[in-house]
Amino acid sequence: RSVYDDQPNAHQRFMEKLDACIRNHDREIEKMCNFHHQGFVDAITELLKVRADAEKLKVQVTDTNRRLQDAGKQVIAQTEEIIRCRVQQRNITTVVEKLQLCLPVLEMYSKLKEQMNVKRYYSALKTMEQLENLYLPRVSQYRFCQIMIENLPKLREEIKEISMSDLKDFLESIRKHSDRIGETAMKQAQQQKTFSTALQKQNNVNYGRNMHLSRNRILESKNDITLKRTFEEDDEHEEEVLTAQDLVDFSPVYRCLHIYSVLGDGEIFENYYRKQRRKQARLVLQPQSSMHETVEGYRRYFSQIVGFFVVEDHILHVTQGLVTRTYTDELWNMALSKIIAVLRTHSSYCSDPDLVLELKNLIVVFADTLQGYGFPVNRLFDLLFEIRDQYNETLLKKWSGLFRDIFEADNYSPIPVANEEEYKIVISKFPFQDPELDKQSFPKKLPMSQSVPQIYIQVKEFIYASLKFSESLHRSSTEIDDMLRKSTNLLLTRTLSSCLQNLIKKPHIGLTELVQIIINTTHLEQACKYLEDFISNITNISQVTVHTARLYGLSTFKDARHAAEGEIYTKLNQKIDEFIQIADYDWTMSESDGRASGYLMDLINFLRSTFQVFTHLPGKVAQTACMSACQHLSMSLMQMLLDSELRQISMGAIQQFNLDVIQCELFASSEPVPGFQGDTLQLAFIDLRQLLDLFMVWDWSTYLADYGQATSKYLRVNPSTALTLLEKMKDSSKKNNIFAQFRKNDRDKQKLIETVVKQLRSLVNGMSQHT
C-alpha cells in the first residue's frame, strides 16, 4: 500500500529493489545446485546400474502376475459368488422383515373379508379400526396398503347399507309378527291374571258362595265368550309360552345400532328408527272399515297394537338410547287417543250385545297386558264405562224384542195347574205366594198369565247379562251392585214400561186382556223385592247399605196399570159408541113400542158380562170403569137427543127413549159391580131422568117456577137443553097437526109450547147476558 500511496517514484524504487532481491536468490540457488551436483550425478549413475535389474524384475513380476492371475480366476469366481449370495441373504433378510410387517395387515384384511362374507359386520368394523390405527401405518409406503386404505371407507358404506337393509327387512317382518306377538303377550297376561284370581279365591276363606254360584252360571251361559277360547293356541301340545324374542329375531336392530354407533352415526340411526316406527304405529292404529262386524276384527286390531308396544318395550330395555321412556310414553299417548276414538266410532255400530261383551273382554285383556308393560290404561277403563252404557242399550233393545215376543205369545188367561208338579214348576220360575190358593185343590188356576214368569225369568237373565260386563272392570262389589240396579231400573222403567204401554194400545187387546194385564203388573210389582234380593245375593251387598239403589218397578207397573185402566175405560166407551151407532129410532113415531130398544138391551147384556170379568180387578178399578161406562152411556144418549141433525122428535119417540133410560137405571140399580153406596151409580143418569120426566109429565109450570132454586124438582135440567128438545117437538107438532089446527085442544097445546119456548129463550138469553 505504501508503494502506491507514497511518493510518485516509489514504484520504480520498489521494482529496483525487487530485481536486486531476485538476483540474490538466483545466486543462492546456483550455489546450492553447485553444491549438490555431484550427488545428482552419482544418483543417475546408480540408476543406470540398476536398469537391467529393473527390466529383469519387471519380467519376473509380469510373469508372476500372469501366473497369479491364472491361479486367481477361480478364486475370483468363488468370491463373486460369495458376494452375490451375501447380497441375496441381505435382500432375503430385508424381505422377511418387510413381510413380517405386511403379513398381519394381510391377515387382518383377509379376516375382514371373511367377516364381511359371513355378515359379521360389527366385528368387521372393529377389524377395520385395528387396520387403520395399528397395522396399516407400519406399511403405509406400499401400494397395496394404499389400495386397502382407499377401500376401507367403501366397505364401511357397504356395511351401513347392508345393515340398514337388514333393519328394513326387520321392520317389514315385525309388522307381520306384531299380531302374533300381541296375541302371545295378551295370553300371558290373561294366564297371569287367571292364576292370581284363582290364588286369591283360594286364600280368601270368606269368599261369597252366592257370588261363586252366580259367576259359574255366567261362565256356563251360552253367550259367554271365555278368554281361554279367545286365546287358544293352534298347537294344543305347546307347553312353553313364546316370548317376543322367540318370535322375532332382534339381531338386525342390535347390529345396525352397534354399526352406526361405531361409525359415529348413532343419532342418525335413532332418528330413522323412531321415524319408521311412528309410521308403522299409524298404520297399526288404522282400523279396517268392517272391524266392528266381527270380534276377530277387534282381536286382530288389539293384537297388532300390543305386539307393536311389546317390541318397543323390549327395545327400550335391551338397548341404550335407541328408544327412551319419554318416547314410548309419547307414542302410547298418541296411540291411546287414536284407539279410544276408533273404539268409540266402531263400537257405536255394534247392535249385538254379545259382540259388545266380547269387545269389552278384549279391551280388558288389552288394558291389563299393556298395564303389565308399564303403560297407563286408565282412559281405557273410562272408555269401558261408556261402552257399558252402549252395552246396556243393546241389551235393552234385545230384551225389548224378547218382551214383545212374550207378550205376543201370551194367551192372557190365568195359568192352569193340574197337579202339584206343575204348580212347583211355575213357583220355581216365579216367586208367587197365595195362602188362599194353596188351600184349593187341584186342578186350579194361578191368577197371572204365562207371560209373568217368563218376564221375571228374562229380567233375571238381563241381570246376568249386565253382570257379565261389570266383571273384570276393577270395580268394587258396591259399584257393581249399583251398576246392576241402575241397568235393571232402566229395563223396568223404560223397556218393559214401553212394551207394556205399546201392548196396551194395540187394537187386538180387548177388555179381557187388559184386565189380565192389570193383574199381571200387580204380581210383577210384588216380585220386585225378590229381584232386589237376587241382585244382593249376586253381589254380596246387603240391601240395608246406605248407598244401595232401589228398583223402580213400583212406578213402572203402576203407570202400566193406570194406562191399562184408562184403556179399559176408553174401550168400554168405544164399545158403547158402537152400540149407540146401531140405534135406529123412529123419531116421528106416534107412540112407543112398549119395550126397550134391542140395541140397548144388547148393550146392557154386554156390560153385565164385562163387569163380571172385572171381579178380578181391584174394587176401585172396577167401580171406576162401571161409573165411567154409565156416565158415557148417559152422555151419549143425551147427545143423541140433542143432535143438531135431528130436526123433529115426537112424543112417542120421547116415550120410547124413556123406556130405554129406565132399563139403564135398572142396570145401574142392579149393582153390576159391588161396592157402590146407595144409588151412586144411578146418579149417572140423573140428567136424563129429570129431562125426560119434564117432557113426560109436561110440568113446565113447576120447572119455570122453581128454576134457580136448590129445591127444584128439575134442578139438573138446563134451560138451553130443554129449549133445544122442545123446539124439535114444536116442529114435529106443527107437521103432524097441520090439518088439525082448527081443533081447540091442539091449538091450545101449540100455544102452550110457543109460550114455554119464549120463556125458555128468555131464561137462556138472561143466562148469556149474566155470563
Side-chain angles (χ1 to χ4, degrees), residues 44-178:
I44 294 300
T45 303
E46 288 180 1
L47 285 174
L48 291 175
K49 289 179 180 179
V50 298
R51 182 176 184 177
D53 294 332
E55 288 294 337
K56 185 186 293 184
L57 180 60
K58 180 179 178 180
V59 172
Q60 290 178 351
V61 170
T62 301
D63 182 60
T64 302
N65 180 57
R66 179 182 57 76
R67 287 188 286 108
L68 285 173
Q69 291 293 332
D70 293 339
K73 285 181 179 179
Q74 187 175 1
V75 175
I76 291 172
Q78 293 294 327
T79 302
E80 290 178 353
E81 182 67 21
I82 290 172
I83 293 171
R84 186 179 63 80
C85 287
R86 288 181 176 175
V87 171
Q88 287 182 348
Q89 286 178 350
R90 187 175 64 251
N91 290 339
I92 288 173
T93 301
T94 303
V95 170
V96 168
E97 292 176 354
K98 298 301 181 182
L99 284 179
Q100 285 177 345
L101 290 175
C102 293
L103 279 178
V105 176
L106 295 174
E107 289 175 355
M108 291 297 289
Y109 195 80
S110 175
K111 180 181 178 181
L112 173 63
K113 287 294 186 179
E114 183 180 356
Q115 289 170 342
M116 292 287 292
N117 292 333
V118 297
K119 300 182 178 181
R120 294 175 57 192
Y121 302 116
Y122 181 72
S123 300
L125 289 175
K126 290 296 184 181
T127 302
M128 289 183 195
E129 185 177 355
Q130 291 179 354
L131 278 172
E132 286 180 328
N133 298 331
L134 184 61
Y135 293 97
L136 287 177
R138 299 174 183 176
V139 290
S140 58
Q141 68 273 20
Y142 299 110
R143 183 179 177 186
F144 76 91
C145 292
Q146 296 298 326
I147 296 174
M148 289 182 183
I149 293 173
E150 293 174 0
N151 284 338
L152 290 182
K154 297 179 182 179
L155 291 177
R156 283 195 177 91
E157 290 299 323
E158 181 181 352
I159 290 174
K160 286 178 65 175
E161 292 176 0
I162 293 174
S163 62
M164 184 58 69
S165 176
D166 291 343
L167 177 66
K168 292 178 180 179
D169 294 340
F170 166 80
L171 293 175
E172 183 66 25
S173 67
I174 203 68
R175 288 186 57 192
K176 300 177 181 178
H177 291 87
S178 289

Side-chain angles (χ1 to χ4, degrees), residues 121-122 125 159-168 170 250-263 265-266 268-270 272-273 322:
Y121 302 116
Y122 181 72
L125 289 175
I159 290 174
K160 286 178 65 175
E161 292 176 0
I162 293 174
S163 62
M164 184 58 69
S165 176
D166 291 343
L167 177 66
K168 292 178 180 179
F170 166 80
F250 287 92
S251 57
V253 180
Y254 307 148
R255 286 197 302 269
C256 202
L257 175 62
H258 292 162
I259 288 169
Y260 273 76
S261 299
V262 169
L263 297 177
D265 294 333
I268 296 175
F269 172 73
E270 292 171 7
Y272 176 81
Y273 177 84
L322 181 55

Side-chain angles (χ1 to χ4, degrees), residues 735-749:
K735 181 178 180 181
N736 293 334
N737 298 322
I738 190 170
F739 297 105
Q741 57 183 336
F742 299 105
R743 293 199 294 262
K744 186 175 184 303
N745 293 335
D746 294 334
R747 289 200 305 272
D748 293 341
K749 185 176 181 181

